[in-house]
Amino acid sequence: MAAGKILYAQSGGVSAVINATAAGVIETARDKGMVVYAARNGILGALREDLIDTTKEAKASIAALRHTPGGAFGSCRYKLKSLDENRAEYERLIEVFRAHDIRTFLYNGGNDSADTANKVSKIGHALGYDVNCIGVPKTIDNDLVVTDTCPGFGSVAKYTALSVREASLDVASMADTSTKVFVIEVMGRHAGWIAAAAGLAGSKAGDPPHVILFPENVFDPEAFLARVQTTVDKVGYCTVVASEGVKDAQGRFLAESGARDAFGHAQLGGVAPVLVALVREKLGFKCHWALPDYLQRSARHIASRTDVDQAYAVGKKAVEYAAEGLNAVMPVIVRVSDEPYKWTIEAAPLDKIANHEKKMPKNFMTKDGFGITAAARRYLAPLIQGELPPPFGEDGLPVYVSLRNTAVPKKLKKFKAAS
Amino acid sequence: MAAGKILYAQSGGVSAVINATAAGVIETARDKGMVVYAARNGILGALREDLIDTTKEAKASIAALRHTPGGAFGSCRYKLKSLDENRAEYERLIEVFRAHDIRTFLYNGGNDSADTANKVSKIGHALGYDVNCIGVPKTIDNDLVVTDTCPGFGSVAKYTALSVREASLDVASMADTSTKVFVIEVMGRHAGWIAAAAGLAGSKAGDPPHVILFPENVFDPEAFLARVQTTVDKVGYCTVVASEGVKDAQGRFLAESGARDAFGHAQLGGVAPVLVALVREKLGFKCHWALPDYLQRSARHIASRTDVDQAYAVGKKAVEYAAEGLNAVMPVIVRVSDEPYKWTIEAAPLDKIANHEKKMPKNFMTKDGFGITAAARRYLAPLIQGELPPPFGEDGLPVYVSLRNTAVPKKLKKFKAAS
């Protein structure tokens, strides 16, 4: 078994299942007699020496993390600069690790975090303090390379496909005299994985969604409007799924091209209203639009069981790797078969993952650019399979846990850069 | 048993449980050997003589309506004019009823529909064709009088409270360095019932939602900003629930006060972006916002069991009333006790319901206008209790039914006014 303690930190946008990973980490560590500290608010907590002693939490609380959305210890969007630009930050991390006998660093995030974990490992060694750094995959964007999928994605995918199916039934009921075009805007600034998953809502011609707009394609207003019109003619209504990252021919986000707020500022975070304005103006249809925003990535009540299982498994595996003394690796999900979906977990070197980005393959989008192919379905379908709802209380709402998050007494002086 | 057939029509905005009412109607009628026709696309189908023969549907399909959102026969927003203005429409209805031996008309909607059903009953009698008209309650707005609640509301209420709870966990995780203010816009143009239900997400001081904006109160920007600021100071973040119908001191919808779309039109359907623009400008906080739109009223996957049961029960009872020959009544839900929640169904005269609107009582809102009181909780809490999820397929998505909707052969000439 590895000596010293484990430090676990959550990084970047949280998800419906990142706490399931935390549960996998802590429960496995407890089984092995290892101590886990957590960094409060992600890497900033490590820099600030703001650490949480997870041994103070009840067993039931840790178990409840498996079904609780959000980030139980807090997360942050904070990317460490390069070693050349801010070596002090890396040295500070090592200082904190040394002060608290941290010998394993588990960094739960995307490709930036994989890069940071990789660098921390190297500088620790250079400073004479060896720390095993393990990246633990998490991102709803599904854009990590090597791994088959990223924990967090499957649940957003399921939420999105299900929401499209449900809302389209509503629209279809009323289309004769009311809304004919419904636009739902989903996350995905650079890659259209979530938009693609919406395609799982339908299985035969005429099923919603009828138009998917991917950030990988240049938005063509003429082609879009033509498709909306023919869909309304044929089906009676049209459901559109739009990635927030859809761009025009000039490479500008559509979301930034249109509306101004009450103060005259360009209004961000709204590709849907821009599309709706276009359809109203050019085709004259009554439109409605939805922006699920954080609801899509926190919807633990409708999480994918596959996703929850994988999230837990990568946490568990990360601790097993730590116990074996592995360094600079990430537990990645390896697909063994599509149907039935079988997967296993392997250790992949962080070098191969850090700073790469997995785009949607071209052959996942139909030629017209508005739909998904059979290849995409084969890949996506297993990721939303199964349900694992949280317990519901007598009040009719899910019972989610709040941890005590007891602080570890500080031993060092304040670190200015992270204030 | 009443002679003739039953005509069932869905009216106005659909919901997650209006089809449960349809299931209650059709299953009960089948048990009694009565035939149910449905009007395609609501009252327009009746005017157009566009009727559906529900006897052609399989038993399993009708049973599946109980867990399928949307309106299975189509609905519409079409209010019959007054008798003086358009007597021809009422006469046409009677003509269609007579042609198809319709002796019972079940109109499933809100207070407009109750009014229509009432009038149809009277004019039928005047024309020498007696038809028993029964209003069946449905509206997510929860604004019908006499009845304790309206089928459809409990499920939106549950969806909203749950979404606030989940998304707030996400916001809380990241608030240290990212979004501090999260605004969720909910339906409710005239009454704040749905916004009030969001208050069930929290139970103690500091729990989200921290600010609720009701359409019943005049929006006071100073008081709102002050409350957001103190909440961020105390809790670290602030979740705001805003009714789409929030108005300013001049009585204008806030949603119409701000943004212009790409074509310079006032952008409707967005009180949330107006609030977000205000908070960014005046307090400088990073904000996010969500607009669930149709997702909230079609979210059958997370429907309230109480709501589903009540929706089914009013459908069943409506047919029982029809069999007893009752006329111009509505089956309403009567609360017997709060805790445990016990309810029964009684027949109330349509006269007492038509054209009235149930507002939120003053004592349901806290004095500062930003929260709900214990009285509101006592009323609302039972309505979101229990779960009754739809069956999920191997594809990880709910299995919803599409009916055949076989048309009844027409016997009459076209009616011009309803084209």
Side-chain angles (χ1 to χ4, degrees), chain B residues 77-331:
Chain B
R77 293 195 185 282
Y78 186 86
K79 186 170 157 57
L80 266 66
K81 296 205 176 100
S82 71
L83 266 171
D84 291 343
E85 284 177 285
N86 200 343
R87 195 175 179 88
E89 284 190 333
Y90 295 87
E91 289 175 351
R92 166 69 175 187
L93 287 178
I94 300 302
E95 185 190 20
V96 171
F97 292 176
R98 198 190 293 260
H100 294 275
D101 191 27
I102 305 290
R103 285 290 181 174
T104 304
F105 176 46
L106 303 185
Y107 204 22
N108 198 178
N111 38 41
D112 280 357
S113 312
D115 180 51
T116 301
N118 210 13
K119 284 180 182 153
V120 169
S121 155
K122 282 172 190 163
I123 196 143
H125 186 72
L127 291 170
Y129 185 83
D130 279 319
V131 54
N132 289 334
C133 295
I134 298 175
V136 193
K138 176 273 335 174
T139 170
I140 64 158
D141 295 332
N142 202 41
D143 61 356
L144 287 179
V145 295
V146 186
T147 187
D148 183 55
T149 182
C150 305
F153 171 67
S155 294
V156 183
K158 186 181 184 103
Y159 171 92
T160 303
L162 174 149
S163 297
V164 165
R165 179 172 287 184
E166 290 188 331
S168 296
L169 283 169
D170 187 306
V171 177
S173 317
M174 311 280 297
D176 183 48
T177 53
S178 184
T179 300
K180 284 199 167 50
V181 178
F182 176 65
V183 181
I184 175 168
E185 174 170 340
V186 300
M187 288 180 165
R189 211 141 176 88
H190 304 295
W193 292 106
I194 297 174
L200 296 174
S203 56
K204 58 184 196 305
D207 281 354
H210 307 101
V211 180
I212 302 177
L213 300 177
F214 300 97
E216 286 86 351
N217 298 331
V218 171
F219 178 68
D220 174 349
E222 304 305 319
F224 167 70
L225 289 166
R227 173 57 63 98
V228 170
Q229 179 72 59
T230 53
T231 305
V232 172
D233 291 345
K234 265 191 225 164
V235 187
Y237 73 101
C238 180
T239 297
V240 177
V241 176
S243 275
E244 58 179 339
V246 173
K247 294 196 193 82
D248 65 16
Q250 284 72 46
R252 290 174 310 199
F253 285 119
L254 227 59
E256 292 171 16
S257 70
R260 308 241 144 218
D261 68 25
F263 301 94
H265 307 150
Q267 196 188 314
L268 302 178
V271 60
V274 173
L275 294 170
V276 157
L278 184 69
V279 171
R280 278 184 191 146
E281 177 79 10
K282 302 293 184 186
L283 304 179
F285 293 133
K286 185 176 176 197
C287 301
H288 254 246
W289 56 283
L291 177 72
D293 194 63
Y294 291 148
L295 273 56
Q296 70 199 284
R297 71 178 199 195
S298 61
R300 178 59 185 84
H301 75 278
I302 193 61
S304 151
R305 180 175 203 126
T306 302
D307 192 31
V308 177
D309 289 348
Q310 292 180 336
Y312 188 89
V314 294
K316 182 180 167 65
K317 211 70 177 178
V319 173
E320 290 171 3
Y321 292 168
E324 293 167 24
L326 267 62
N327 182 31
V329 295
M330 176 181 276

Side-chain angles (χ1 to χ4, degrees), chain B residues 33-48:
Chain B
M34 299 166 86
V35 169
V36 177
Y37 282 180
R40 197 187 306 270
N41 297 324
I43 198 76
L44 282 173
L47 289 168
R48 293 169 180 163

